[in-house]
């Protein structure tokens, strides 16, 4: 029986076309492609890596989870050392472990947390400038928190996604949206049982439009009702978004 | 009488040829050149910026100090906002203040602190990978600390500099060298009344060669005695070095 190896991965998505492999010839452009390249060379097998979910082009991860099946006899420590040696410096392996036979990174994911970083305008961000949304206007925290309260809970989030048509359910549960004002940035954390395509970025863009007064907190209730993408706010840019953790 | 404006500056030196302007036509390549460009446009004057000292190509600053004389009537807040708007994102203005008439960033500097960051090998540094020296061997902290003790104090540091010939004194006083082992990095801080060209990088390179066993702690005593650059260790790469603060 093959081993089932679980990886905990962090990456700077800045120069990649996202997590998901785009095709046989574009391996180096995606995080999954890069990892499969190195894993296949390491094992001598054609490794298929299963991620907990996709991240868009330019989006980062502090705790992406993925798994793959292999006959490779290396210890977890040896696998980790091999990957650390041969992966580019913008992809890091935080943990390697043997998972149960039936573990599946995507299907078994029970809870995910994302965070989104927004720079306070006028304050320099020299060393983390590539990991923030530099939105130029001040934001009203109270209004954003009010909208966040409306969004928390079990809803059909179709209007907050870029999904056009689907037979699958677009109902998700948001357990918490925390908005924290720090000295130099506003940090928004989203925890839920799952997220639709672009959902965190559209939620963030909508919260920011509410924060700067272009929209009202109640407008999110309209989006939940009409389920129309047009009623929601802009899609926040990718570089401020981090997949923080996945729970099983 | 002209105003004397003092700036507190942070920068990512990664894409610059260092602090010091190289010539009239290379303004955009150096931190000083970039700043003078924007300051001259702002004031309509030919601004000459005095820095507390040079930093090499690729070296960063968390607290560089500089000053310039001007007839400009803008408030310090307005100057700060103007600079923040027109400077590139890798140069940040932390503070603008009116200094006394006789204040001179370089001549009045009484104490400087630099720090040097060395990555612990095998540990991923995805988001700060460009701000560390990725030295591949483990380092013996005790030996490095022993050498640091020998180096602390008032000495002729000529052997730890890239100065070939000079009539000026190469005696400096190092008040403290602190070596701190963190989870993912070793941080070496140097505080002294002044530093010779490349001195922090050569001290760091020498400490690292001692830490990995290629040299012995006592070897630094030889360098202090012979004053010969050949007897010291390698010059550590620029990207791990930060000018932390300047005291007056």
């Amino acid at each position: 029986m093959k081993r089932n190896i679980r990886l905990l991965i962090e990456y700077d998505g800045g120069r990649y076309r996202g997590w998901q492999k785009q095709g046989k010839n574009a391996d180096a452009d995606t995080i999954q492609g890069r990892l499969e390249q190195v894993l296949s060379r390491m094992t001598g097998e054609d490794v298929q890596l299963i991620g907990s979910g996709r991240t868009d082009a330019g989006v980062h991860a502090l705790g992406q989870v993925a798994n793959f099946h292999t006959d490779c006899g290396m210890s977890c420590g040896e696998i980790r050392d091999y990957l650390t040696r041969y992966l580019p410096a913008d992809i890091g392996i935080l943990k390697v472990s043997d998972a149960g036979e039936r573990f599946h990174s995507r299907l078994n994911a029970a809870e995910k947390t994302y965070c989104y970083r927004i720079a306070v305008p006028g304050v320099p961000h020299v060393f983390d400038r590539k990991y923030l949304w530099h939105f130029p206007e001040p934001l009203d925290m109270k209004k954003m928190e009010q909208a966040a309260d409306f969004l928390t809970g079990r809803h059909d989030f179709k209007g907050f996604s870029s999904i056009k048509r689907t037979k699958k359910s677009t109902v998700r549960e948001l357990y918490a949206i925390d908005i924290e004002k720090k000295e130099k940035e506003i940090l928004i954390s989203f925890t839920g049982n799952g997220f639709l395509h672009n959902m965190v970025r559209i939620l963030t863009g909508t919260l920011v439009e509410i924060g700067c007064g272009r929209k009202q907190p109640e407008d999110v209730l309209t989006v939940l009702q009409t389920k129309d993408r047009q009623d929601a706010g802009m899609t926040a840019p990718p570089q401020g978004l981090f997949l923080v953790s996945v729970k099983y």
Side-chain angles (χ1 to χ4, degrees), chain A:
Chain A
M1 205 183 59
K2 279 180 183 280
R3 286 166 77 191
N4 187 7
I5 307 282
R6 175 172 166 170
L7 306 177
L8 183 65
I9 308 158
E10 64 173 1
Y11 51 82
D12 176 342
R15 69 181 175 108
Y16 295 98
R17 298 172 66 181
W19 168 266
Q20 176 118 331
K21 207 166 47 171
Q22 308 279 330
K24 283 276 172 196
N25 298 323
D27 279 0
D29 284 358
T30 66
I31 324 286
Q32 184 192 20
R34 263 294 166 115
L35 282 160
E36 286 186 355
Q37 249 178 7
V38 179
L39 288 167
S40 296
R41 197 170 57 188
M42 180 185 84
T43 58
E45 302 164 8
D46 184 18
V47 170
Q48 307 293 316
L49 189 65
I50 302 158
S52 77
R54 313 176 185 188
T55 52
D56 293 339
V59 171
H60 320 291
L62 303 173
Q64 169 71 291
V65 176
N67 71 294
F68 65 97
H69 299 273
T70 180
D71 287 320
C72 163
M74 292 163 75
S75 74
C76 290
E78 285 166 348
I79 292 173
R80 189 186 148 145
D81 290 347
Y82 186 97
L83 294 177
T84 299
R85 172 167 307 206
Y86 290 107
L87 282 171
D90 52 10
I91 304 178
I93 301 298
L94 301 174
K95 205 173 160 188
V96 177
S97 53
D98 273 285
E101 180 189 356
R102 297 178 58 86
F103 175 75
H104 189 288
S105 302
R106 182 165 48 81
L107 298 178
N108 298 158
E111 185 184 303
K112 280 185 188 173
T113 297
Y114 283 91
C115 76
Y116 198 100
R117 297 176 61 188
I118 302 164
V120 168
V123 180
H125 282 273
V126 163
F127 297 100
D128 52 4
R129 62 192 186 276
K130 290 179 181 165
Y131 306 114
L132 292 152
W133 182 12
H134 296 269
F135 188 78
E137 299 168 46
L139 300 175
D140 182 327
M141 296 287 290
K142 268 208 176 141
K143 285 188 176 172
M144 292 169 77
E145 275 159 7
Q146 204 185 330
D149 280 347
F150 291 142
L151 290 164
T152 308
R154 188 180 165 84
H155 304 287
D156 187 336
F157 285 99
K158 187 167 180 294
F160 291 102
S161 83
S162 48
I163 297 169
K164 296 259 159 53
R165 259 175 305 220
T166 179
K167 287 178 181 170
K168 291 181 192 165
S169 166
T170 46
V171 172
R172 296 288 185 278
E173 186 167 355
L174 270 185
Y175 303 129
I177 305 178
D178 289 317
I179 310 180
E180 195 185 346
K181 184 150 191 175
K182 303 184 172 189
E183 198 193 345
K184 293 176 65 176
E185 65 186 82
I186 291 172
L187 186 71
I188 313 180
S189 303
F190 302 84
T191 300
N193 62 357
F195 292 86
L196 306 170
H197 186 219
N198 279 341
M199 180 170 149
V200 181
R201 289 168 60 190
I202 297 171
L203 286 172
T204 300
T206 307
L207 288 173
V208 162
E209 289 194 30
I210 290 163
C212 71
R214 236 175 282 167
K215 285 187 180 292
Q216 294 307 312
E218 296 75 17
D219 291 347
V220 303
L221 298 172
T222 311
V223 188
L224 291 176
Q225 209 167 35
T226 63
K227 303 176 183 61
D228 186 348
R229 172 70 188 88
Q230 301 295 322
D231 293 328
M234 65 182 125
T235 305
Q239 81 273 4
L241 181 59
F242 293 76
L243 170 57
V244 176
S245 60
V246 188
K247 281 192 185 166
Y248 291 91

